[in-house]
């Protein structure tokens, strides 16, 4: 399986140059700070670039599930995710193209698990540090690790539910910092959902309370209707907002 090939390549590079790995940890933190409160938008744009039509964020206690039904990861996608500024996206053809936006999520998660196609992996500073003990510090997203059986079992119920709903790529963020997540939700600009090329349904749920749902409907060849439904601040009642926009080319 190509996972092991990518893993061994990145592991060999890190063992040969632990100082570079330490530098990458600093770069990762800088990216996270630069993209402050934009992590959800970056995940949404990546899903749209993968031709997903559905996107879902689901928080359960200290776990955050982010799922889409787009194209599953291949070897090139995995290596681009692990490396910084190494994307296979082309400027003008996708929303994002630099391949660094995903690094913005390191500010609110202890570990990140990825399930997509044949891939079941974990990003963990603790596991990387054990393998590259000579590095002063290590990045979260660089060396992919095999997910533990116990962690896979812990995530299986919600993961299987999402897969039964048709989601093909699922990220799970563990040990999430409540303050960071709340800040992301509060600053999330829902009108950014209206300008996606492929995603027509977005649902964001926080501890069983639906925060927002956006459904985009094609009207004709040049226009679509986007309806946003969201709870109000006290969680009681909903409001609806409908936009009519020209179709993006």
């Amino acid at each position: 399986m190509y996972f092991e090939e990518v893993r061994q390549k990145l592991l060999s590079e890190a063992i040969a140059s632990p100082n570079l790995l330490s530098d990458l940890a600093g770069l990762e933190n800088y990216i996270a700070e630069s993209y402050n409160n934009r992590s959800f938008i970056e995940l949404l744009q990546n899903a749209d670039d993968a031709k997903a039509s559905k996107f879902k964020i689901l928080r359960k206690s200290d776990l955050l599930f982010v799922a889409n039904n787009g194209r599953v990861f291949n070897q090139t996608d995995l290596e681009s995710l692990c490396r910084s500024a190494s994307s296979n996206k082309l400027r003008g053809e996708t929303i994002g193209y630099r391949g660094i936006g995903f690094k913005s999520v390191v500010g609110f998660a202890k570990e990140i698990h990825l399930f997509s196609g044949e891939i079941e992996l974990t990003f963990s500073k603790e596991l990387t540090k054990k393998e590259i003990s000579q590095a002063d510090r290590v990045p979260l997203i660089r060396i992919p690790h095999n997910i533990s059986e116990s962690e896979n079992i812990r995530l299986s119920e919600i993961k299987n539910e999402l897969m039964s709903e048709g989601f093909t790529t699922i990220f799970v963020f563990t040990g999430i910092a409540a303050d960071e997540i709340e800040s992301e939700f509060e600053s999330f600009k829902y009108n950014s959902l209206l300008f996606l090329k492929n995603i027509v349904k977005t649902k964001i749920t926080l501890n069983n309370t639906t925060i927002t749902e956006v459904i985009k409907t094609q009207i004709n060849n040049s226009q679509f209707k986007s309806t946003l439904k969201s709870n109000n601040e006290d969680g009681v009642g909903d409001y609806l907002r409908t936009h009519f926009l020209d179709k993006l080319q």
Side-chain angles (χ1 to χ4, degrees), residues 136-180:
D136 293 332
R137 53 181 179 168
V138 298
L140 176 60
I141 305 169
R142 182 66 176 187
I143 310 295
H145 305 276
N146 288 297
I147 188 169
S148 69
E149 182 178 355
S150 60
E151 193 71 345
N152 212 340
I153 292 173
R154 181 169 81 108
L155 304 174
S156 62
E157 181 178 355
I158 297 177
K159 180 189 72 174
N160 291 338
E161 287 179 3
L162 291 169
M163 288 182 172
S164 70
E165 295 174 24
F167 293 103
T168 52
T169 294
I170 303 169
F171 290 98
V172 187
F173 303 87
T174 73
I176 58 175
D179 291 343
E180 294 290 340

Side-chain angles (χ1 to χ4, degrees), residues 14-19 22 129-137:
I15 292 173
S17 184
N19 289 336
S22 298
K129 185 64 177 176
K130 287 180 179 179
E131 300 204 65
I132 318 292
S133 58
Q134 61 270 43
D136 293 332
R137 53 181 179 168

Side-chain angles (χ1 to χ4, degrees), residues 34-35 40 54-55 67 94 102 107 128 145 164 178 185-186 195 222 230:
S34 300
Y35 280 68
F40 289 161
K54 295 194 303 181
F55 179 83
T94 57
F102 185 74
T128 299
H145 305 276
S164 70
F185 273 103
E186 289 173 2
F195 299 95
S222 61
S230 180

Side-chain angles (χ1 to χ4, degrees), residues 38-51:
R38 280 189 51 87
S39 298
F40 289 161
I41 293 177
E42 293 299 324
L43 292 167
L44 184 68
Q45 290 178 348
N46 285 344
D48 196 65
D49 291 340
K51 310 299 183 184

Side-chain angles (χ1 to χ4, degrees), residues 90-141:
L90 299 177
R91 182 194 292 265
E93 294 185 5
T94 57
I95 299 174
Y97 65 91
R98 290 173 292 182
I100 62 176
F102 185 74
K103 307 298 189 295
S104 65
V105 302
V106 302
F108 61 70
K110 179 182 178 182
E111 293 183 334
I112 301 173
H113 307 304
L114 169 61
F115 302 93
S116 183
E118 298 180 356
I119 293 178
E120 293 187 352
L121 63 80
T122 295
F123 290 109
S124 165
K125 286 186 178 182
E126 181 179 348
L127 293 177
T128 299
K129 185 64 177 176
K130 287 180 179 179
E131 300 204 65
I132 318 292
S133 58
Q134 61 270 43
D136 293 332
R137 53 181 179 168
V138 298
L140 176 60
I141 305 169

Side-chain angles (χ1 to χ4, degrees), residues 215-229:
I215 298 177
K216 191 161 58 176
T217 306
Q218 186 78 36
I219 298 174
N220 53 44
N221 290 334
S222 61
Q223 287 187 319
F224 62 80
K225 177 178 73 173
S226 187
T227 303
L228 184 150
K229 179 180 180 181

